[in-house]
Amino acid sequence: MTTPYPSSHVPPAPSVPTRREKAGARITLTLASLAMIGPFTIDTVFPAFTRIGAEFGSDAVALQQLVSAYLAAFAIMSIFHGPLSDALGRKKVMIGGLVIYLIGMLGSVLAPTLGSLVLMRVLQGMSAGAATIVSRVVIRDMFSGSEAQRLMAQVMMIFSVAPAVAPIFGGWLLLLGDWRWVFGGVGAYALLVLVAATRLPETLPPEARNPLRVGALLGSLWHVGRSPVMLRIAAASACGFASQFVFIAGASLLVVRLLGLGEQDFWVLFVPLIIGMMSGAFVVGRAADLMDRSRLISLGFLGTLAATVLNLVLVSFAPPFTGGLSWSLLLAVTGPMLIAFTVALLFAPIQLEVLDLFPHERGAAASLGTFFGLVLNALLAGVVAPMVTASLSTLALASLGFAVLGAILWTWHVRTVRAPQDA
């Protein structure tokens, strides 16, 4: 850990030895594959919506429940996956979650009605976080310092490709047959990930685990959740990421209504976003041995502030849209790409900051940190995005607002931490 927290905030780390000095390709790909379960579960299904609706006679509103039911279940259970891994061990929770997830996928293939399919999506949402959330904890269990940051950045770089690859994968599966092939294909992917996960070492030995009792699990969540330091960092992380995610949450309105493009043109926005995310994650990995983690996060927030301001300038003075590829379109997607790059600079390091706050309760810290982000993302998608997509300028202002709020929270955290040392 690079930021020196007061002893009242951080208990001594458990005596869990670092398993390896360097992360090999197998471990990196396995952890990235575990993290990709979440976006694959959401985005791969999108191309199948038309066929699902045709078979069950369902409209777009009913089909949207396939997404919202999954996300709601994921958000609720995200609170518990981490504490369970603190009590049972990381590997048992990840493997158990994947087994339940596979049952949900098999149930989806066999679903006779839309209602039963939605129930299977709930089961998938309840279990997917076991892989996505706990895999981050495994990174910090196995590695420390610059190697932990480097591995987190590499996993994020691979993970960032998932939202773009998943719909393409889903479209290919539809060439084989009806919509059930999509769920079967994602299930096959999860089965491969399950096999790979069985080869991971258990990173939390029995002597370092918390008691498996309801009171102990809720107590760990309460201990982590009432920490002012945790709340500041988690809120800063959520707001920083929101400055990028607001473009994703409002993508349907941004691409079709504001940019005047068609339903097949979402790549115009998502390809630059993915390029920005991957480039930023690459820089984070390279900077692991060169820069203090806290300083890198600060640089990420400063960069995000600059990128959101530049984006506002670009869209405010861009020429009128004439349709198709143009300078106006290029200026409109350049800002989000730069914002994605700068957000990636802070995202992986700030995840490690959250985990290092509670060495004995890393699972609970990962769960609550994820829950903060999920709640804000849900608000962005359901409430904020429809309100701020009246124009490119209002969308840019919203992105700037989240960047400012995140930077304020992070600055508050850094100054609070340094104050006792300067006294």
Side-chain angles (χ1 to χ4, degrees), residues 45-394:
V45 182
F46 286 150
F49 270 26
T50 301
R51 298 194 188 185
I52 295 173
E55 178 169 332
F56 295 135
S58 305
D59 58 17
V61 175
L63 291 172
Q64 189 62 28
Q65 304 310 309
L66 295 173
V67 178
S68 58
Y70 168 83
L71 290 176
F74 190 104
I76 293 171
M77 282 303 298
S78 70
I79 303 175
F80 301 104
H81 291 307
L84 283 173
S85 76
D86 288 335
L88 298 173
R90 316 301 189 205
K91 194 170 179 178
K92 287 181 180 178
V93 173
M94 288 191 296
I95 291 176
L98 285 169
V99 169
I100 296 173
Y101 179 86
L102 283 169
I103 294 173
M105 279 298 172
L106 178 60
S108 296
V109 172
L110 302 175
T113 64
L114 181 64
S116 59
L117 183 57
V118 170
L119 286 177
M120 290 300 101
R121 292 290 283 175
V122 170
L123 190 61
Q124 293 161 28
M126 292 174 61
S127 55
T132 304
I133 296 170
V134 180
S135 61
R136 298 178 189 174
V137 186
V138 171
I139 292 175
R140 186 57 189 88
D141 284 347
M142 296 181 72
F143 304 99
S144 61
S146 60
E147 185 60 20
Q149 178 174 308
R150 187 178 296 109
L151 179 56
M152 188 76 81
Q154 289 172 346
V155 168
M156 180 182 171
M157 189 161 56
I158 299 171
F159 167 83
S160 64
V161 180
V165 173
I168 298 174
F169 181 54
W172 288 346
L173 290 170
L174 288 175
L175 296 176
L176 301 175
D178 65 13
W179 58 266
R180 291 175 174 81
W181 280 88
V182 174
F183 290 98
V186 178
Y189 169 78
L191 182 60
L192 292 175
V193 175
L194 173 60
V195 173
T198 59
R199 300 185 61 193
L200 287 174
E202 173 53 66
T203 60
L204 188 66
E207 62 271 17
R209 297 175 189 174
N210 295 331
L212 182 58
R213 297 193 304 267
V214 174
L217 293 177
L218 295 178
S220 67
L221 287 171
W222 173 251
H223 176 234
V224 172
R226 67 187 177 89
S227 165
V229 183
M230 169 67 182
L231 295 175
R232 284 195 297 269
I233 297 180
S237 174
C239 290
F241 186 74
S243 64
Q244 169 197 328
F245 189 76
V246 69
F247 294 99
I248 300 174
S252 59
L253 296 174
L254 169 60
V255 172
V256 177
R257 190 174 73 186
L258 299 183
L259 299 182
L261 301 176
E263 295 178 350
Q264 306 301 320
D265 297 324
F266 280 79
W267 65 269
V268 173
L269 172 65
F270 281 95
V271 168
L273 284 174
I274 292 168
I275 291 173
M277 292 169 63
M278 292 186 66
S279 301
F282 177 80
V283 171
V284 169
R286 292 290 182 176
D289 294 318
L290 303 175
M291 185 178 297
D292 176 89
R293 193 166 74 202
S294 179
R295 184 172 299 176
L296 179 59
I297 297 171
S298 298
L299 180 63
F301 275 112
L302 286 173
T304 303
L305 284 172
T308 51
V309 170
L310 177 60
N311 179 57
L312 178 60
V313 172
L314 290 177
V315 300
S316 297
F317 295 97
F321 285 94
T322 57
L325 297 178
S326 63
W327 278 108
S328 299
L329 181 61
L330 179 62
L331 293 177
V333 299
T334 296
M337 180 178 67
L338 294 175
I339 294 169
F341 172 80
T342 56
V343 168
L345 295 181
L346 65 92
F347 188 73
I350 208 169
Q351 300 303 307
L352 294 173
E353 291 285 304
V354 170
L355 295 177
D356 278 355
L357 280 174
F358 299 92
H360 291 279
E361 298 162 315
R362 284 180 184 145
S367 282
L368 284 179
T370 301
F371 183 72
F372 266 90
L374 288 172
V375 170
L376 183 54
N377 289 349
L379 290 174
L380 281 172
V383 180
V384 177
M387 295 173 58
V388 301
T389 48
S391 68
L392 289 174
S393 296
T394 55

Side-chain angles (χ1 to χ4, degrees), residues 25-35 135 193 196-200:
R26 179 178 65 83
I27 289 177
T28 301
L29 289 175
T30 299
L31 292 173
S33 298
L34 286 162
S135 61
V193 175
T198 59
R199 300 185 61 193
L200 287 174

